[in-house]
Amino acid sequence: MRRRASFGTGTSRTGWPTVVLAGLVYGGWLVATAWHAVLPAPVLVLASGWLLAWQGSLQHETIHGHPTRWRRVNDAIGFAPLSLWLPYRLYRRSHVAHHGAAVITDPGHDPESRYRSQDSGVAGLLGRLQATLVGQMLFGPPILVARFLLAEGARVVREPVRVVRDWAPHLLAVVVLLWWLDHVGLGLGRYVLCFVYPGMALTMLRSYAEHRADLSSPGRAASVERGGVFGLLFLNNNLHAAHHERPSLAWYDLPAYHRRHRARFAAEGAPIYRGYGEIVRRFAFSAHDDMVHPRHRVTPA
């Protein structure tokens, strides 16, 4: 974007909509896990996937300094490892780096970029599996987790003390979560299939087209204007250009900011989609972009 705001330190007042949201997310998760045996499988998958994706959106808010002025309180709200695989501390570090990247979308600068630096070997094959929206939602979750764990395994060799600090609180919380799952009779395999996998797939629907590596334009963050029910699920992060320009804005303030600045976003080249129906129609089986970043593409002689 043309202007770039600081990452943000949160709010001077308590964001009660976000507090209520946190109660719904964690209360809903407790109900879904406790009553999993009596819920029909399709209902369980839809409700549980929604709750896991919703918690991811909530964590995004807490990382950006909401709902209170106190980081420790916000971190405590977002910390619970419902997805099992991603320590909150690492998510926070990665997301701060994403917003601070010198070139957003360039995998050499942006740790959350979907783009890659090469199109050969295993990286190229996995990238092609994730090129379409269907491929991203279907294959993206296990690929993301595998790549993340491999990277963390390599990091153990380079910085073992830091890895222990990052993972120890997370793993202790996972032990508590697994105790609860065992207490309510919900097996780990079923939890992953009914909660974690669909939650990650829904999150990947949001992230699929939210950035485009257009080097000729400052507008690399997209907006999906009519989020509908997905706007609530993603806490208006579908208005991604507005979020990147004002990352400290609470989720319920983003729509008004987007409306005020929409014309400028469009003039700066930020992609604007009508809704997720358009995303599905255009990209379900077609690639959103060449996922080798423009800085790394080989131009034929």
Side-chain angles (χ1 to χ4, degrees):
M1 304 304 299
R2 184 182 63 191
R3 296 185 311 216
R4 192 165 182 178
S6 62
F7 185 78
T9 55
T11 179
S12 60
R13 54 188 173 83
T14 300
W16 289 109
T18 309
V19 173
V20 172
L21 173 75
L24 291 173
V25 168
Y26 294 119
W29 182 85
L30 288 170
V31 169
T33 52
W35 290 80
H36 70 95
V38 299
L39 293 174
V43 174
L44 181 65
V45 169
L46 288 173
S48 304
W50 175 285
L51 288 168
L52 265 287
W54 221 7
Q55 195 226 7
S57 300
L58 173 64
Q59 289 180 317
H60 178 260
E61 284 294 299
T62 62
I63 287 170
H64 280 284
H66 303 285
T68 78
R69 70 182 74 178
W70 300 287
R71 176 176 166 179
R72 289 186 178 181
V73 174
N74 299 335
D75 287 350
I77 292 172
F79 173 77
L82 303 191
S83 68
L84 299 177
W85 67 278
L86 179 61
Y88 178 82
R89 188 169 181 169
L90 292 183
Y91 177 27
R92 178 183 177 84
R93 189 183 306 154
S94 170
H95 197 64
V96 170
H98 165 67
H99 275 269
V103 183
I104 288 176
T105 70
D106 186 337
H109 296 269
D110 183 355
E112 295 187 0
S113 175
R114 288 189 59 241
Y115 288 83
R116 57 190 185 275
S117 59
Q118 59 180 319
D119 197 31
S120 59
V122 175
L125 173 61
L126 296 180
R128 288 188 288 276
L129 284 175
Q130 297 175 266
T132 67
L133 176 61
V134 169
Q136 173 76 336
M137 295 179 70
L138 184 62
F139 301 112
I143 290 174
L144 176 61
V145 173
R147 289 177 60 186
F148 172 74
L149 294 180
L150 286 172
E152 285 300 289
R155 197 164 68 94
V156 169
V157 178
R158 300 193 310 271
E159 43 189 26
V161 175
R162 195 177 189 189
V163 169
V164 170
R165 285 203 305 266
D166 291 337
W167 279 89
H170 174 79
L171 292 177
L172 286 173
V174 168
V175 168
V176 175
L177 187 148
L178 293 178
W179 170 85
W180 169 255
L181 296 183
D182 181 70
H183 177 69
V184 298
L186 177 54
L188 179 59
R190 192 168 194 233
Y191 180 77
V192 169
L193 289 176
C194 294
F195 286 72
V196 179
Y197 198 109
M200 292 182 69
L202 282 173
T203 300
M204 287 182 170
L205 169 63
R206 174 190 59 75
S207 64
Y208 178 77
E210 71 185 9
H211 287 287
R212 187 175 177 89
D214 183 358
L215 297 183
S216 65
S217 167
R220 298 191 183 102
S223 298
V224 181
E225 290 193 299
R226 299 173 188 169
V229 68
F230 291 111
L232 177 60
L233 176 61
F234 302 142
L235 299 186
N236 294 324
N237 201 24
N238 48 290
L239 303 173
H240 211 60
H243 168 66
H244 264 269
E245 185 162 288
R246 289 292 303 276
S248 62
L249 279 182
W251 59 276
Y252 42 83
D253 292 327
L254 280 173
Y257 188 86
H258 171 80
R259 287 192 296 270
R260 289 197 302 271
H261 298 276
R262 183 190 188 281
R264 176 168 58 80
F265 291 152
E268 290 178 342
I272 296 179
Y273 303 103
R274 289 187 298 275
Y276 281 100
E278 180 183 354
I279 298 288
V280 172
R281 287 193 301 273
R282 291 179 60 178
F283 305 122
F285 300 103
S286 299
H288 166 252
D289 195 8
D290 178 352
M291 297 313 296
V292 176
H293 193 271
R295 289 189 170 199
H296 303 277
R297 292 171 192 166
V298 177
T299 303

